[in-house]
Amino acid sequence: MSNGSFPPEPGRRGGTLAIVLAALIPACFAGWLLWSSLGDAKDDGADGVGAPTTSSTSSPSPPSSGVPAVPSPPTPSGNASGKRSGGPSGKPLEGKVVVIDPGHNPHNRDHPSQIARLVDIGTDEKECDTTGTATNSGYAEASFTLDVARRARTLLEARGATVRFTQDGDRPYGPCVDERAEIGNKAHADAVVSVHADGAAAGERGFHVILPKSVRGGGADTSAITAPSRRLGERLRSRFAKATGSEPAQYIGDGSGLNVRGDLGGLNLSTVPKVFIECGNMRDSRDTAELTDAAWRERAADGVAQGITDFLNE
């Protein structure tokens, strides 16, 4: 004490250090929390799987030029060549007009005098219409033709075609054969198919397609339609055989399934491609078993519709 200084207070240096450390530790911990939260904010992956990793040494992205990116032109619809199928909807028969002529009429039998009157078929005169044939059990050809025609209409319309009938069971009789031809002509049909079933002798089986003969006389002139009608008939023959499993009739012509005739007003007076199809023989028990079966008639309609489709897509 002789020099006047005070001796150090016991424990003073250790207490000061403790105070400094107590102040620094919370500050450091807060700083670490802030750094950690900023680092987490850089990862925008929802769960970290597949999230891009950013290197701290990567070059910064170049500044935007301000010019918006030009989108790539859309790929044209259609097939690989870019050619569209059918019309705007892509349906194969869009824009096509098809007339289906269900042979005879279920009500013809109630109007014998009207259907017996003669009409001009260009090269001759023939009855307005007939009752058609029937199976031994009484299933009428006119009922068969309407059923197949309606089924074919459904299939063709689904492909985009406009389908018109010469009659839909909604007329008292007919129409007459000359009017049937006129309906297709006025519609400017791309194809006309008249649906029938034959009434040949028992034991004769199969189907056949009737083609127009080249005739000219009176109001008949088939010179412009014989070639396209043959193509229509050939497509129909092929598709009908495939759809139904039926064989071409051997009792008609040369057994090819194609028969050319010049005595049918529905063909003679047509100015558009037209054929008849005799789907089977209603007087044969084995053919009758098929003609009276709804599932077989659906296959027959599919054959008719596909034959028309093939022809119109040539």
Side-chain angles (χ1 to χ4, degrees):
M1 298 264 183
S2 62
N3 56 9
S5 62
F6 297 95
E9 296 180 6
R12 175 68 180 243
R13 182 177 298 173
T16 301
L17 181 60
I19 292 171
V20 170
L21 290 174
L24 287 175
I25 289 172
C28 290
F29 182 68
W32 178 83
L33 288 177
L34 177 60
W35 175 87
S36 177
S37 64
L38 289 174
D40 288 344
K42 294 178 183 179
D43 185 3
D44 60 359
D47 57 6
V49 179
T53 54
T54 303
S55 170
S56 60
T57 60
S58 61
S59 301
S61 301
S64 171
S65 64
V67 179
V70 178
S72 301
T75 303
S77 60
N79 55 29
S81 67
K83 183 179 180 180
R84 291 181 178 273
S85 300
S89 70
K91 294 183 177 180
L93 298 184
E94 185 170 359
K96 301 295 185 180
V97 176
V98 177
V99 171
I100 300 182
D101 177 28
H104 312 291
N105 183 320
H107 310 299
N108 276 357
R109 61 186 180 183
D110 301 323
H111 301 272
S113 61
Q114 287 92 335
I115 65 171
R117 69 183 179 86
L118 297 179
V119 298
D120 182 17
I121 64 168
T123 57
D124 202 349
E125 288 187 335
K126 258 193 162 180
E127 296 88 350
C128 161
D129 202 0
T130 68
T131 59
T133 187
T135 67
N136 292 332
S137 62
Y139 180 53
E141 179 187 359
S143 297
F144 168 82
T145 63
L146 270 176
D147 185 72
V148 172
R150 288 165 177 165
R151 293 172 187 269
R153 174 174 58 190
T154 298
L155 297 172
L156 291 166
E157 287 180 339
R159 298 172 190 182
T162 297
V163 181
R164 298 179 183 173
F165 274 23
T166 56
Q167 59 92 17
D168 200 358
D170 51 356
R171 295 177 59 129
Y173 66 92
C176 297
V177 293
D178 56 344
E179 185 182 351
R180 289 174 186 266
E182 189 64 18
I183 289 171
N185 297 343
K186 287 183 176 179
H188 302 289
D190 296 288
V192 183
V193 173
S194 190
V195 181
H196 288 262
D198 209 359
E204 306 287 8
R205 297 197 64 195
F207 75 94
H208 65 279
V209 179
I210 304 175
L211 311 177
K213 184 178 180 180
S214 183
V215 299
R216 182 176 295 178
D221 183 358
T222 62
S223 56
I225 69 162
T226 51
S229 294
R230 174 169 284 274
R231 294 198 305 273
L232 171 59
E234 289 171 346
R235 304 300 179 272
L236 193 58
R237 174 188 59 182
S238 175
R239 286 298 188 169
F240 192 86
K242 184 175 182 179
T244 63
S246 300
E247 296 289 337
Q250 298 300 309
Y251 65 91
I252 294 290
D254 58 2
S256 67
L258 299 176
N259 185 33
V260 179
R261 291 177 61 174
D263 63 330
L264 299 175
L267 296 180
N268 286 1
L269 300 175
S270 182
T271 59
V272 294
K274 183 175 181 177
V275 298
F276 282 43
I277 181 166
E278 299 279 0
C279 297
N281 181 13
M282 301 198 94
R283 309 302 291 177
D284 177 79
S285 60
R286 289 178 296 174
D287 272 10
T288 292
E290 295 177 337
L291 297 169
T292 56
D293 178 59
W296 188 91
R297 294 196 299 272
E298 182 66 25
R299 295 195 296 272
D302 180 65
V304 170
Q306 192 56 54
I308 293 171
T309 301
D310 287 355
F311 169 71
L312 294 180
N313 283 337
E314 287 181 345

